[in-house]
Amino acid sequence: MNDAALDEFEAAHAEPGEVGVVVPQDYVSDEPFTFDCGRTIPGFTIRYETYGRLNATGTNAILVCHALSGDHHCAGIHHLTDRKVGWWNNIIGPGKALDTNHYFVACANVIGGCQGSTGPLSTDPETGRPYGINFPIVTINDMVRAQERWLRALGVTQLHAAMGGSMGGMQVLQFGITFPGFVKRMIAMATTARESAQAIAFNEVGRQAILQDPDWADGNYATGGGPKVGLAIARMMAHITYLSDASMARKFGRRTVAERPRSGAAAATVPTAGATDTESHAFDAQFEVESYLRYQGKSFINRFDANSYLYITRALDQFDLAAGSDSLEAAFAPLEARSLVVGFTSDWLFTPEQNRAIAMALLRAGKNASYAELTTDLGHDSFLLESPQLYDLVRDFLTS
Amino acid sequence: MNDAALDEFEAAHAEPGEVGVVVPQDYVSDEPFTFDCGRTIPGFTIRYETYGRLNATGTNAILVCHALSGDHHCAGIHHLTDRKVGWWNNIIGPGKALDTNHYFVACANVIGGCQGSTGPLSTDPETGRPYGINFPIVTINDMVRAQERWLRALGVTQLHAAMGGSMGGMQVLQFGITFPGFVKRMIAMATTARESAQAIAFNEVGRQAILQDPDWADGNYATGGGPKVGLAIARMMAHITYLSDASMARKFGRRTVAERPRSGAAAATVPTAGATDTESHAFDAQFEVESYLRYQGKSFINRFDANSYLYITRALDQFDLAAGSDSLEAAFAPLEARSLVVGFTSDWLFTPEQNRAIAMALLRAGKNASYAELTTDLGHDSFLLESPQLYDLVRDFLTS
């Protein structure tokens, strides 16, 4: 928060333990940026939020990296009447594990994203139209390099820690390798050092749902339009991989939306992603889990750009830290940070084994690393959820 | 095979151990058939194949039940130049586990299917047009009841065994309950007594991909047309659930289709489910697993009807053997058959736990049942693959 008046307002209205109202900021770099793929853009914008205050030496910053469908809004609210808090609000705030009384917490929308940072939705200065799929291919390392430039501009001289789950964890690991002197601690959760064939497969089905939606139109759809059906399908499917069999059984089981006549008499209405209870077609949402997934798909298309989804899933697929080295351990050689890796027992997207493998490679590389495996049946999304155990782990590690 | 001349031809040309050339047959019932949903159709056709000869007392028949995307063609070839054998050819034939020298093996396309049996593609006698989604809702029990009528017509007085994996296993269990005196042995593999929330969720995403494809046209598409994109997406996604993380890692890993420039220079071509190597778009198939899945999707749309896919996945979702009873054990009370249940360690669609639960309920109900868990990393599809261990299990059980 750079605006003193806003700070005062915020301080006055914030709940104890909450960061309160935050205003997203834009960092604009006028220096050219060259992507790993070799293409250069004349500059870029990074939309971000920060919580807490940067100290005089610029050494108390914690970078939070978001996952595929996340954004820069990881804590607080945007308006006093906002009922939806940032996506990692449970861990960020005064007195919380990422204690904003002590740390300056910063989170940016990744380059290639669609929440304000430069990405496929942005205007291509060469054509005056949105980049669409003429945007350069983005890698996790590109995301990291753009964020480093932004953090330096904020006055951060060294990160107290970089932290993230899923794709956020990939960024954390990459940050430690690409900018070894800049990162003092890394916390990577529910992540992997390289995308598995199964994870690539799920991403590919999502991309095909988008690419083959007629409204994708070679990626040249109007802003606000686009392949909504395909994007919703992609999200519905991906959402299953974020949960677990057990958590879905507990949350939904085989409960039906309502007791409906199951006569099979087919109504003429076409079910949609937002099918309502007034429909009575056999292929309407019959089970609660169907209704839930349709809602997930529907709400996603209102906040996410389909081309960004293509780019970011491609970045995930291409992620393979060991690719340019003899081994993962060799890839970690330059690293200076101490690391905490956290796996979750029921995560079948980025399994405990994959997380443990990261920690083992760090140790083999002679680095200071520890691994914690939290028992949960909530699947991949566990890292986002309430967990005093996780808070304690993080808090202790940050003060180590 | 009822045609003596064909039998001779077949005997002359069959490889040792192979059933050789088979010709699908049609059973036509002119008796009305009332579905569980209450609707009645004036009659139905069942397309089927048989291998081996029915004995004089009609007691040596083994019914093979197919899975979601399967059909009646489970063994042999259709033409001498046919290079593709039936889907369970490895287990059916002279001297094989389902020894056609001793048993009369019969397999039918399920009612609601699209390979010749009455289903959404069939002509509605009331309108003269295909039923489409005016076809009655189909249950696993409907599939079983239609097959029982057909088997009686063939002269089968009692099934030596009913056997199947996945949805085939559901039919087997249902057969034993609905027609207790008719089934002497049941072999149910890689199956469940009720569809889980996660499995329903995957089916629902597949259905949404179909229902929201503009070419679905409320289910009234022309035969041969229809929502090909949606159906391919549904199949690609479902296919992931039939494999395992480990088998995909071994089969594909992160191998790329070819070494391609990853410049990110976007070509104008629109990738399709059948994307070829000539394309160079960043969202083309880059990894082998993507190319494989696209092929799976593409080949499926040439052999499967989208409306059938909707109906059959709905039948899976509604399957819950214990639904009308106090417990699964109570649901099994009428059963007379002895049972073999087989789970596969890497099956995450219908887990070993779900299969074990069936056997446990059978035992609690006082039935003769055994459970075998085969160690494999091939996922749900394990039941279809070469397995001397499985063959021995089945062979021993059939002679017990």
Side-chain angles (χ1 to χ4, degrees):
Chain A
M1 305 282 88
N2 298 322
D3 186 330
L6 182 73
D7 282 1
E8 270 184 61
F9 177 82
E10 187 187 327
H13 289 84
E15 293 291 317
E18 294 297 317
V19 299
V21 174
V22 290
V23 176
Q25 313 283 324
D26 280 347
Y27 161 70
V28 179
S29 171
D30 293 326
E31 299 290 309
F33 183 83
T34 302
F35 290 82
D36 285 349
C37 67
R39 286 182 62 198
T40 300
I41 55 175
F44 63 82
T45 296
I46 286 290
R47 183 155 300 169
Y48 67 94
E49 289 183 6
T50 66
Y51 325 98
R53 287 175 191 280
L54 187 62
N55 63 14
T57 52
T59 54
N60 72 329
I62 297 178
L63 171 69
V64 169
C65 299
H66 71 73
L68 166 55
S69 62
D71 58 26
H72 52 277
H73 181 44
C74 64
I77 50 180
H78 281 161
H79 309 282
L80 281 176
T81 54
D82 200 349
R83 294 195 308 181
K84 195 165 185 285
V85 294
W87 56 268
W88 223 351
N89 192 69
N90 59 21
I91 207 166
I92 301 164
K96 296 188 185 176
L98 268 61
D99 189 345
T100 51
N101 290 329
H102 298 292
Y103 303 116
F104 173 70
V105 178
C107 182
N109 185 210
V110 296
I111 197 164
C114 53
Q115 306 292 341
S117 292
T118 298
L121 278 179
S122 306
T123 301
D124 180 349
E126 284 187 22
T127 65
R129 289 180 293 117
Y131 281 104
I133 56 162
N134 285 313
F135 197 76
I137 290 302
V138 177
T139 64
I140 299 294
N141 192 44
D142 291 328
M143 298 176 187
V144 160
R145 291 188 301 114
Q147 287 177 81
E148 191 260 357
R149 195 186 286 183
W150 152 69
L151 288 168
R152 296 276 190 195
L154 284 185
V156 175
T157 55
Q158 186 182 46
L159 283 173
H160 184 81
M163 170 164 143
S166 199
M167 187 179 85
M170 295 177 184
Q171 292 170 67
V172 166
L173 298 174
Q174 185 73 63
F175 222 120
I177 292 173
T178 307
F179 302 105
F182 192 61
V183 187
K184 213 167 167 191
R185 289 176 193 78
M186 313 191 309
I187 309 180
M189 306 181 187
T191 193
T192 183
R194 62 177 197 172
E195 194 85 343
S196 70
Q198 189 184 62
I200 294 173
F202 278 118
N203 285 339
E204 166 66 4
V205 177
R207 280 192 298 267
Q208 285 298 315
I210 291 167
L211 293 167
Q212 298 201 46
D213 183 327
D215 292 335
W216 182 60
D218 296 8
N220 298 316
Y221 50 83
T223 303
K228 293 186 181 301
V229 165
L231 184 59
I233 297 293
R235 174 63 170 177
M236 289 173 74
M237 184 198 61
H239 201 85
I240 302 174
T241 70
Y242 305 151
L243 307 178
S244 75
D245 195 18
S247 66
M248 293 182 90
R250 194 176 55 240
K251 198 165 177 179
F252 309 107
R254 294 182 47 82
R255 277 192 307 279
T256 55
V257 173
E259 288 307 310
R260 284 177 181 161
R262 279 162 45 174
S263 72
T269 51
V270 183
T272 67
T276 67
D277 279 4
T278 58
E279 296 170 2
S280 61
H281 192 279
F283 302 115
D284 286 352
Q286 195 167 41
F287 294 96
E288 276 188 11
V289 67
E290 297 174 279
S291 169
Y292 171 80
L293 281 181
R294 290 183 191 191
Y295 173 79
Q296 290 296 330
K298 197 186 176 187
S299 57
F300 192 61
I301 58 179
N302 294 325
R303 68 177 178 88
F304 216 87
D305 172 55
N307 284 337
S308 260
Y309 198 85
L310 297 177
Y311 275 88
I312 299 178
T313 55
R314 201 38 126 185
L316 289 169
D317 291 356
Q318 294 197 338
F319 187 68
D320 182 0
L321 271 184
S325 312
D326 288 340
S327 64
L328 184 55
E329 152 186 359
F332 281 139
L335 202 113
E336 296 177 22
R338 58 192 301 169
S339 312
L340 170 64
V341 183
V342 185
F344 297 87
T345 51
S346 56
D347 184 352
W348 59 278
L349 185 60
F350 298 143
T351 62
E353 290 70 26
Q354 286 171 286
N355 286 276
R356 202 180 305 124
I358 296 168
M360 293 302 290
L362 284 165
L363 291 172
R364 278 198 308 273
K367 308 300 173 186
N368 185 325
S370 57
Y371 174 66
E373 194 165 296
L374 297 187
T375 300
T376 153
D377 71 353
L378 298 167
H380 181 63
D381 270 355
S382 294
F383 79 92
L384 293 169
L385 306 173
E386 284 280 336
S387 168
Q389 226 182 336
L390 179 63
Y391 305 156
D392 288 347
L393 263 175
V394 168
R395 197 189 311 262
D396 289 352
F397 179 75
L398 288 175
T399 53
S400 67
Chain B
M1 305 283 90
N2 296 321
D3 184 330
L6 181 73
D7 282 2
E8 271 183 62
F9 178 82
E10 187 186 325
H13 290 84
E15 293 291 317
E18 294 298 316
V19 301
V21 174
V22 291
V23 177
Q25 313 282 324
D26 279 349
Y27 160 71
V28 179
S29 171
D30 293 326
E31 299 288 310
F33 182 84
T34 301
F35 290 81
D36 284 351
C37 67
R39 286 183 60 200
T40 300
I41 55 175
F44 63 82
T45 296
I46 285 291
R47 183 156 299 169
Y48 67 95
E49 289 182 8
T50 67
Y51 324 98
R53 286 172 192 283
L54 187 62
N55 63 13
T57 52
T59 54
N60 72 328
I62 298 177
L63 171 69
V64 169
C65 299
H66 71 73
L68 165 56
S69 62
D71 58 26
H72 52 278
H73 181 43
C74 64
I77 49 179
H78 281 158
H79 309 283
L80 282 177
T81 54
D82 200 349
R83 294 195 309 181
K84 194 164 186 283
V85 294
W87 57 267
W88 224 350
N89 192 70
N90 60 21
I91 208 167
I92 302 164
K96 295 186 185 176
L98 268 62
D99 188 345
T100 50
N101 290 328
H102 297 292
Y103 303 117
F104 173 69
V105 178
C107 182
N109 185 213
V110 296
I111 197 165
C114 54
Q115 306 293 343
S117 292
T118 298
L121 279 179
S122 308
T123 302
D124 181 348
E126 285 186 20
T127 65
R129 289 181 292 116
Y131 281 105
I133 56 162
N134 284 314
F135 197 75
I137 290 301
V138 177
T139 64
I140 299 292
N141 193 42
D142 292 328
M143 298 175 187
V144 160
R145 291 188 301 111
Q147 286 178 81
E148 191 259 358
R149 194 187 285 183
W150 152 68
L151 287 168
R152 297 276 190 195
L154 285 183
V156 174
T157 55
Q158 186 183 45
L159 283 172
H160 183 79
M163 169 164 144
S166 198
M167 186 181 85
M170 296 178 182
Q171 292 171 68
V172 166
L173 298 173
Q174 185 72 63
F175 221 120
I177 292 173
T178 308
F179 302 105
F182 192 61
V183 187
K184 215 167 164 189
R185 290 176 192 78
M186 312 190 313
I187 309 179
M189 305 180 189
T191 193
T192 184
R194 61 177 198 171
E195 194 84 343
S196 71
Q198 189 184 62
I200 293 172
F202 278 118
N203 284 339
E204 167 65 3
V205 177
R207 280 191 298 270
Q208 285 298 315
I210 292 168
L211 292 167
Q212 298 201 47
D213 183 328
D215 291 335
W216 181 61
D218 295 8
N220 298 317
Y221 50 83
T223 303
K228 292 185 181 300
V229 165
L231 184 58
I233 298 294
R235 173 62 171 180
M236 289 173 75
M237 183 198 59
H239 201 84
I240 302 174
T241 70
Y242 304 152
L243 307 178
S244 75
D245 196 18
S247 66
M248 292 181 90
R250 196 176 52 239
K251 199 168 177 178
F252 309 108
R254 293 182 48 82
R255 276 192 307 279
T256 55
V257 173
E259 288 307 312
R260 286 178 181 160
R262 277 160 49 174
S263 72
T269 51
V270 183
T272 68
T276 65
D277 278 3
T278 58
E279 295 171 4
S280 61
H281 193 280
F283 302 117
D284 286 350
Q286 195 167 41
F287 294 96
E288 276 188 12
V289 66
E290 298 174 279
S291 168
Y292 170 81
L293 282 180
R294 290 183 191 191
Y295 173 79
Q296 291 296 329
K298 197 185 177 189
S299 57
F300 193 61
I301 57 180
N302 293 323
R303 68 178 179 86
F304 217 88
D305 173 55
N307 283 336
S308 259
Y309 198 84
L310 298 176
Y311 276 87
I312 299 179
T313 55
R314 200 39 126 185
L316 289 169
D317 290 355
Q318 294 196 339
F319 186 68
D320 183 359
L321 271 183
S325 314
D326 288 341
S327 64
L328 184 54
E329 152 186 0
F332 281 139
L335 201 113
E336 296 178 22
R338 56 192 302 167
S339 313
L340 169 64
V341 183
V342 184
F344 297 87
T345 50
S346 56
D347 185 353
W348 58 279
L349 184 61
F350 298 143
T351 62
E353 291 70 26
Q354 286 170 287
N355 285 277
R356 203 181 303 125
I358 295 168
M360 294 303 290
L362 284 164
L363 291 171
R364 279 197 308 274
K367 308 300 174 185
N368 184 324
S370 57
Y371 174 65
E373 196 164 294
L374 297 187
T375 300
T376 154
D377 71 353
L378 298 167
H380 181 62
D381 270 354
S382 294
F383 80 92
L384 292 169
L385 305 173
E386 283 281 337
S387 169
Q389 228 184 336
L390 179 63
Y391 304 156
D392 288 347
L393 263 175
V394 167
R395 198 189 310 264
D396 289 352
F397 180 75
L398 289 175
T399 54
S400 68

